[in-house]
Amino acid sequence: MHITPLKQQHLSPLSSSMPVPKYDRSSIKAGIVHVGVGGFHRSHQAYYMHQLLGAGQHAAWGICGIGIREADQQMNQVLQKQDCLYTLMTQHPDGEVRCEVIGSLLEYIFAVNAPKEAIEKMAHPDTKIISLTITEGGYHCNPNTGMFDFDHPDVQHDLEQPHHPKTIFGYLTAALQLRRERALPAVTILSCDNIQHNGEVARKMLLAFAQKQNPELAHWIEEELSFPNTMVDRITPVTTDTAIKYLKNNFQLNDEWPVVCEPYIQWIIEDNFSNGRPPLETLGVQFVPDVSPYEKMKIRLLNAGHSVLGIPGAIHGHATINDCMEDQVFASFMRQFMDREVTSLLGDMEGIDLTVYKDSLEARFANPNIKDSVSRICSESSAKLPKFLIPTIQENLRHGGSIKYGTFILAAWCYYCAKQVDLKQQEIEIIDERKEELQHSANGYKEDRLSFLRIADIFGDLLQSERFTTEYSKMLKAIFEEPDVRSHMVALMSQGHGTIE
Ligand code: CS2
């Protein structure tokens, strides 16, 4: 069997078996510079732009990808080899797989080796938008205080060495300084991370950093740049060898890093762009004056729902989110969490029926072909839970609402970090930037039941609530005595007749 590597020059023969870009990629300008090209950017924003380019007349809106972390080296190598092309594999619940080559990513700069090139690209006159998927933790925002974390060693480094930055803020200030000196128009900073008020957070953190480095630049940023808030959505699991083999077997195509995703896609953006924007409304993207209620709904239901399944799922030994959904106890537990602890905190949203939305989340999570691993969901929980789950518990504490489902997940997370094995004694690999700290604090439970909660920038003021700590301690004790989380979930749902209440 002859296998063809994915490259621009091989698109023509491939076009008889799957859709490939029909537009002339060499004539397109990169109006967007995107930092953080991973699976999600490639299944979401790059896919939208690909559709737009395919519709013609939008040649100003290609993408230049930038990787600022050492870990981006692999993406760099693959994309350079493949002329920045990749296959998007959309997995339908009925088993259908739709494959398509995406061409909107025009070039990729591995900034770790070429910081100047990356900064110049951001400062290029063609660049109108700098978009970000740098993960929840990449903003260096202390969730407890809402302030910029100047203590992080990378931030310190960037303040000292502005020409060789490590953080997004170092890159942005270097590039924006050039734009200002060259009297170029400002850009829009478009955050696409799962953070409530993501645009505002990006703005606040950038201004804090710039203020310290160069107050005049900070003033210019404040006056000239816009930071629309956005809500982004498309479940994009980690790419596995199965996907790579599928393309080899079915299309004789060697794509070293395809992207797998669900059919569902959504993007809601505030229409506030400093230097023009692509006409994304033609593709069903919603432009609204205030995105906050939609962001809150998505983060508190979808993202938190994932963690509510994933953390106990890992302890139980479920491998994927759809495995969790097949387990009636897990599925009901998650739905009850949504119904009893989240729904009442979400305001009215025009055109949204929350019951329909929650039903659709259940169906999306249950898609048997998406195989989204619980390890992806549990990864970086130290950055996710302060955004996805802890604010829900805090709000419920303020309003006297139910907290038991959310609290159970935090107790289960402590167990997960302390023990790192599932029920069959299989090792659980913790993927988290703060892994050691989490393990250490979680293991302190023997001497101090509340030790885990003492990581203040994760758990905020939860420790101060007696109602919360009482409930948490009971649950923690129960889980450490009997790690069969599923039985506790059953007990918890039967309202007070089980081991925990
Ligand atoms: C997930 C998200 O990382 C997570 O824990 O909840 O990546 C989720 O799949 C996306 O936000 C879906 O839009």
Side-chain angles (χ1 to χ4, degrees), residues 112-161:
V112 178
N113 288 352
K116 191 158 184 283
E117 202 188 325
I119 293 166
E120 281 294 339
K121 193 71 196 179
M122 291 176 174
H124 194 280
D126 288 345
T127 302
K128 296 180 165 49
I129 295 174
I130 301 177
S131 55
L132 315 173
T133 44
I134 51 171
T135 77
E136 294 75 25
Y139 291 81
H140 297 294
C141 175
N142 180 324
N144 205 14
T145 59
M147 305 305 271
F148 188 66
D149 177 11
F150 280 104
D151 296 336
H152 196 286
D154 290 351
V155 172
Q156 289 297 326
H157 168 277
D158 283 10
L159 287 170
E160 277 151 32
Q161 298 203 39

Side-chain angles (χ1 to χ4, degrees), residues 40 44 136 193-194 232-237 262 264 266 298-299 302-307 364-365 372 376-379 381 384 388:
F40 180 74
H44 190 263
E136 294 75 25
D193 284 292
N194 290 313
V232 292
D233 194 6
R234 188 170 221 186
I235 295 175
T236 309
E262 62 171 342
Y264 187 91
Q266 189 177 27
K298 192 254 167 170
I299 292 169
L302 185 151
N303 298 112
H306 262 160
S307 301
R364 291 168 62 195
F365 289 178
D372 195 9
R376 179 183 87 86
I377 297 304
C378 296
S379 69
S381 284
K384 290 175 180 175
F388 301 171

